[in-house]
Amino acid sequence: MKMKKVTSLLAMTVAAVMAMTGCGGNDAADDSTGNKVYHIGIIQQMEHGSLDQATKGFEDKLTELLGEDNVEFDYQNAQGEQANCTTISTKFVSDGCDLIMANATTALQTAAAATSDIPIVGTSVTDYVTAGVVESNEAPGKNVTGVSDLASVEKQIDVLMQFCNKENTKVAVVYCSAEPNSTYQADLAKKYLDEQKIPYAIYTAADSNEIQAVVTKAVADCNAMYIPTDNTFANNMEIVKNIAVPARVPTVTGAEAMCEVGALATLSISYYDLGAKAAEMAYDILVNGKKPAEMPIEYLTDGLVPKYNADIAEALGVTIPEGMEPVA
């Protein structure tokens, strides 16, 4: 009888210790008031405006939905290194976080490789199938779901052509070949340019070290440039600007933050809203018991407003079409 009491006491002690350590596992820990405290790991692939806004939107919205005292974020930035993404993902799994928010494609891929149990919600990812983390965008079939940052590539090309004469324009489609989602967007751009019978050429950089040479070649051969949502180029738009503007080549990008630094115009979704939408999905998983495997990838359909960079427009001497707004 005494042995049973000792064993019972020991089990209770171990359980209490386990509840106080790590990220809390898939069952969120209780705080001193008995409220659930959800521990969320956030892995952001690198620093730049779009990804920063997505993270902020996610944190703000999930805090609003759960309550400030009921959620704790472990934010980690991988500084653009895949090895760092892997280390961070492994840490979150070891900590037993209740959910992982993966911001950008490599962050999502490493998180998905690290766990098949912890729910993962992605953001700032263009196509989840291309990234290799779901079975289909309609029925993910795994512990991964999220929000796509895909805006209409066709409409982005239309924005570019507002600054060009279709009869004598050749478009450079420029992107990083190491980013699957950039390739996906470039393929959409090529298809649309073919349909519109607009001449084009493809220019790819394997990494940031090749950007200057690739963009220099692109503006020498073409008189307009399209760069899809691309993390490598997003971090190097100052280089793009310093080459394209003196060459008087109008450039349209897939993300507003890229336009703010070094492009003439964009048609982009709000990355803050993208993060907020991911937070709503996370809430459904944590509180309403939804399963990522059964949650289709979501898309933002509102707020697609063409915007322009006033400084670059002035430097190029172009007239801004009606209906376009300046970037912040």
Side-chain angles (χ1 to χ4, degrees):
M1 191 72 170
K2 289 181 180 180
M3 180 61 71
K4 288 184 179 179
K5 287 183 179 179
V6 171
T7 303
S8 176
L9 179 61
L10 179 60
M12 291 173 63
T13 303
V14 171
V17 171
M18 289 179 66
M20 297 172 62
T21 59
C23 263
N26 291 330
D27 294 322
D30 292 348
D31 65 12
S32 58
T33 66
N35 293 326
K36 292 290 185 183
V37 179
Y38 295 96
H39 299 267
I40 312 299
I42 298 177
I43 172 171
Q44 182 172 316
Q45 187 168 318
M46 62 178 66
E47 292 180 15
H48 73 66
S50 295
L51 302 189
D52 294 344
Q53 282 297 302
T55 292
K56 181 170 173 53
F58 179 83
E59 290 182 339
D60 287 353
K61 188 65 176 181
L62 197 55
T63 299
E64 173 192 325
L65 291 170
L66 292 174
E68 187 173 354
D69 295 332
N70 300 326
V71 61
E72 294 180 353
F73 299 105
D74 183 355
Y75 168 82
Q76 300 288 331
N77 193 301
Q79 303 298 327
E81 297 292 335
Q82 182 173 349
N84 292 343
C85 285
T86 300
T87 299
I88 294 165
S89 297
T90 302
K91 173 187 182 298
F92 288 161
V93 174
S94 176
D95 289 347
C97 290
D98 297 298
L99 181 140
I100 296 172
M101 192 280 266
N103 191 350
T105 305
T106 303
L108 180 66
Q109 290 170 326
T110 57
T115 178
S116 59
D117 299 317
I118 297 174
I120 300 169
V121 176
T123 190
S124 311
V125 176
T126 303
D127 185 69
Y128 286 67
V129 174
T130 302
V133 295
V134 299
E135 294 174 6
S136 76
N137 290 323
E138 295 74 26
K142 300 180 181 180
N143 61 317
V144 177
T145 189
V147 190
S148 169
D149 65 357
L150 181 65
S152 171
V153 171
E154 294 83 358
K155 290 180 179 178
Q156 290 170 351
I157 298 294
D158 288 343
V159 169
L160 176 60
M161 295 312 296
Q162 290 185 72
F163 298 99
C164 306
N165 183 337
K166 186 176 179 179
E167 301 305 317
N168 60 6
T169 295
K170 183 178 181 181
V171 177
V173 179
V174 184
Y175 62 98
C176 176
S177 58
E179 298 193 28
N181 286 312
S182 300
T183 302
Y184 178 79
Q185 294 170 86
D187 287 342
L188 293 176
K190 289 187 288 183
K191 179 181 177 182
Y192 186 64
L193 289 164
D194 282 332
E195 291 172 356
Q196 298 298 308
K197 295 181 170 52
I198 300 171
Y200 65 89
I202 305 299
Y203 302 87
T204 62
D207 54 38
S208 59
N209 295 322
E210 296 184 0
I211 287 178
Q212 183 163 345
V214 167
V215 174
T216 299
K217 173 66 173 170
V219 301
D221 296 344
C222 303
N223 53 1
M225 183 159 53
Y226 171 66
I227 307 175
T229 304
D230 183 292
N231 291 316
T232 303
F233 273 85
N235 263 3
N236 292 276
M237 285 306 296
E238 192 75 31
I239 295 174
V240 174
K241 178 184 73 174
N242 291 339
I243 298 170
V245 172
R248 304 189 68 78
V249 172
T251 301
V252 163
T253 56
E256 184 172 338
M258 297 169 72
C259 179
E260 289 175 1
V261 177
L264 171 61
T266 186
L267 179 71
S268 174
I269 61 175
S270 163
Y271 276 76
Y272 182 91
D273 291 346
L274 197 75
K277 174 66 75 174
E280 291 172 354
M281 299 181 79
Y283 179 84
D284 275 342
I285 293 167
L286 294 168
V287 177
N288 297 329
K290 287 194 175 182
K291 298 179 180 179
E294 301 170 358
M295 299 172 69
I297 303 305
E298 297 200 17
Y299 299 82
L300 293 185
T301 56
D302 299 326
L304 291 177
V305 178
K307 296 186 178 183
Y308 69 95
N309 183 313
D311 291 338
I312 292 180
E314 182 179 359
L316 294 176
V318 299
T319 301
I320 301 301
E322 279 190 33
M324 295 191 74
E325 299 178 0
V327 294

